[in-house]
Amino acid sequence: MERISWTLFLLSLTYLEGSSQDFGQTQFICTSVPKDIDLCAATMQNSGPADDLKTTVMQLRETVLQQKETIINQKETIRELSSKLSRCESQAVLEPVTGGRRKEPGKNTMGDVSRTSTDTLAQLGQTLATLKQRLENLEQYSRNNGSVQANSLKDLLQNKIDDMEKQVLSRVNTLEESKPGQKNDTNQRNRVESTLTSLHQRINDLEKGSKSTRPLDKYQITFPLRTNYMYAKVKKSLPEMYAFSFCLWIKSNASPGVGTPFSYAVPGQANELVLIEWGNNPMEILINDKVAKLPFVINDGKWHHICITWTTRDGVWEAFQDGVLRGTGENLAPYHPIKPNGVLVLGQEQDTLGGGFDATQAFVGELANFNIWDRKLTAGEIYNLSTCNTRAQAGNVLSWSESIIDVFGGATKWTFEPCRQLS
């Protein structure tokens, strides 16, 4: 038996030696093993490098499986997001926005509402009624306590109303455009606008207190959206003028065009005096429907002080930005006096006397310290105004004051001091 085993061993050595030419230089290592052990099992037990290789392969395999699972999960997430995006795009197609109006960017905090305009406006009205009740409670609490906590609650409510206002106005725009012929929807929209205006006025009353200590000229008017119903109206008209100067503080980053900061219309002439920047055109001044292009660059989101002077003799005009003369011209409606008994509107361009607003021409931004004189201001006077010099004079035709300006459709009044804005 032992002879047979040795014979087989020698034959295997002979076979290996004959096959070694396929592997180049080789060497044989003899290892003694017990007589009754399986040679293959013994070989695997003594091969350290093979064990390490096997372990590495198993680890790599587990890693690949984990990555595969992660990729599958990511693909599922992508499919879900794609599905949501498709639904959003479909919704956008169902609710087009036309007429130059734009929806305000930002998250929707109003939740899902009915697709019918009547149901939607009803829900908006209910929400506004709830806010109105909360505001009444806050007013009562403020009167009874007058504490810092009351002011904090007021501020929180103001922020909530501001967020909601943008979405209410945007939704009302969309609903009205989709069904412009429905009188009931228009009536409900008017009620919503009236409620918004009332809310803002009462917030302003809270801000000022029962007896306001804020000077009447230390305020600004904000127009947050392009609409055809958000505006401010001056309670007095302008007299006949053979010369004028007007100055104001303005802030906007709207594009294209900041819109119409103000317009003055008289019977028979809607464009008696207009300041407008529409579309990609430069800012323009219109007098009796005659146009001059202005060298202003103001849509950078910063406060700027602008002034324009004009005289009817030869139609000479000058344009100042931030106290510096930027441009001059002549032959702008020469020998045409500014007519009296008109309507002065802030934030909208008038196509008819006191109305005919176009959302694409609406002003978006903030205005303050709008003053008008019936004479040509000097460069020094304009510089004093732009630098908040104490010698600066208020307009003798129109002096900026809260008492002579009403706001509508969601335009708001806030405390403003230009000198602090510059510092």
Side-chain angles (χ1 to χ4, degrees), residues 179-248:
K179 296 182 179 180
Q182 293 194 3
K183 183 177 180 180
N184 291 336
D185 289 351
T186 301
N187 292 337
Q188 291 191 52
R189 187 207 75 179
N190 291 336
R191 286 195 293 271
V192 170
E193 293 174 20
S194 176
T195 304
L196 279 174
T197 301
S198 176
L199 282 171
H200 277 291
Q201 185 60 49
R202 297 176 70 180
I203 284 290
N204 288 337
D205 292 340
L206 274 178
E207 183 183 48
K208 293 183 292 185
S210 58
K211 292 183 179 181
S212 175
T213 59
R214 182 176 76 189
L216 292 177
D217 63 333
K218 304 297 184 184
Y219 77 101
Q220 68 183 51
I221 300 178
T222 300
F223 304 88
L225 297 173
R226 285 195 196 275
T227 72
N228 64 351
Y229 50 81
M230 185 182 296
Y231 66 101
K233 184 177 179 181
V234 180
K235 296 179 182 179
K236 59 184 293 186
S237 181
L238 301 181
E240 185 176 55
M241 295 187 295
Y242 291 85
F244 69 74
S245 300
F246 69 78
C247 300
L248 69 151

Side-chain angles (χ1 to χ4, degrees), residues 19-227:
S19 303
S20 65
Q21 61 185 358
D22 296 332
F23 302 95
Q25 296 281 337
T26 62
Q27 66 179 13
F28 297 96
I29 300 175
C30 297
T31 304
S32 61
V33 297
K35 182 177 179 181
D36 56 347
I37 281 241
D38 184 4
L39 290 175
C40 293
T43 302
M44 291 301 295
Q45 290 175 0
N46 293 320
S47 57
D51 286 341
D52 293 341
L53 181 61
K54 181 178 180 181
T55 301
T56 301
V57 170
M58 294 299 293
Q59 291 176 348
L60 288 173
R61 183 173 180 272
E62 292 178 2
T63 301
V64 170
L65 290 175
Q66 291 175 357
Q67 291 179 347
K68 182 178 180 181
E69 184 178 357
T70 301
I71 292 173
I72 292 174
N73 293 336
Q74 291 175 345
K75 286 183 177 180
E76 183 64 27
T77 301
I78 291 173
R79 280 196 294 269
E80 292 178 1
L81 292 175
S82 299
S83 177
K84 291 180 180 179
L85 180 60
S86 297
R87 288 197 298 270
C88 290
E89 290 175 346
S90 299
Q91 180 178 348
V93 171
L94 291 174
E95 298 183 357
V97 179
T98 60
R101 297 190 179 104
R102 300 185 299 180
K103 290 189 176 181
E104 183 72 5
K107 64 181 181 180
N108 185 354
T109 59
M110 297 180 62
D112 295 331
V113 293
S114 170
R115 288 299 173 198
T116 66
S117 58
T118 302
D119 292 344
T120 300
L121 288 174
Q123 292 183 29
L124 295 178
Q126 292 174 2
T127 305
L128 286 173
T130 301
L131 282 177
K132 184 177 179 180
Q133 183 61 47
R134 290 174 61 190
L135 182 56
E136 290 173 350
N137 295 337
L138 176 59
E139 289 174 324
Q140 184 64 37
Y141 185 86
S142 179
R143 284 193 295 268
N144 295 338
N145 298 275
S147 64
V148 175
Q149 184 178 3
N151 291 330
S152 299
L153 289 172
K154 179 202 69 177
D155 293 338
L156 289 174
L157 183 56
Q158 177 67 69
N159 292 334
K160 175 66 176 177
I161 291 175
D162 286 343
D163 291 339
M164 183 180 177
E165 177 197 54
K166 293 179 181 180
Q167 297 176 52
V168 168
L169 295 177
S170 178
R171 175 64 69 179
V172 170
N173 282 345
T174 304
L175 293 174
E176 182 182 304
E177 290 166 359
S178 63
K179 296 182 179 180
Q182 293 194 3
K183 183 177 180 180
N184 291 336
D185 289 351
T186 301
N187 292 337
Q188 291 191 52
R189 187 207 75 179
N190 291 336
R191 286 195 293 271
V192 170
E193 293 174 20
S194 176
T195 304
L196 279 174
T197 301
S198 176
L199 282 171
H200 277 291
Q201 185 60 49
R202 297 176 70 180
I203 284 290
N204 288 337
D205 292 340
L206 274 178
E207 183 183 48
K208 293 183 292 185
S210 58
K211 292 183 179 181
S212 175
T213 59
R214 182 176 76 189
L216 292 177
D217 63 333
K218 304 297 184 184
Y219 77 101
Q220 68 183 51
I221 300 178
T222 300
F223 304 88
L225 297 173
R226 285 195 196 275
T227 72

Side-chain angles (χ1 to χ4, degrees), residues 201-310:
Q201 185 60 49
R202 297 176 70 180
I203 284 290
N204 288 337
D205 292 340
L206 274 178
E207 183 183 48
K208 293 183 292 185
S210 58
K211 292 183 179 181
S212 175
T213 59
R214 182 176 76 189
L216 292 177
D217 63 333
K218 304 297 184 184
Y219 77 101
Q220 68 183 51
I221 300 178
T222 300
F223 304 88
L225 297 173
R226 285 195 196 275
T227 72
N228 64 351
Y229 50 81
M230 185 182 296
Y231 66 101
K233 184 177 179 181
V234 180
K235 296 179 182 179
K236 59 184 293 186
S237 181
L238 301 181
E240 185 176 55
M241 295 187 295
Y242 291 85
F244 69 74
S245 300
F246 69 78
C247 300
L248 69 151
W249 286 93
I250 186 169
K251 177 182 177 182
S252 179
N253 59 359
S255 180
V258 302
T260 308
F262 78 89
S263 64
Y264 176 67
V266 296
Q269 179 53 271
N271 295 327
E272 183 67 8
L273 178 58
V274 181
L275 182 66
I276 184 172
E277 183 181 271
W278 186 26
N280 294 315
N281 300 312
M283 183 166 280
E284 300 172 338
I285 181 172
L286 284 72
I287 298 178
N288 192 33
D289 216 19
K290 307 301 186 294
V291 181
K293 297 185 183 300
L294 303 174
F296 294 150
V297 180
I298 59 173
N299 62 337
D300 56 2
K302 299 179 181 179
W303 281 104
H304 293 282
H305 186 263
I306 60 174
C307 286
I308 296 177
T309 68
W310 172 86

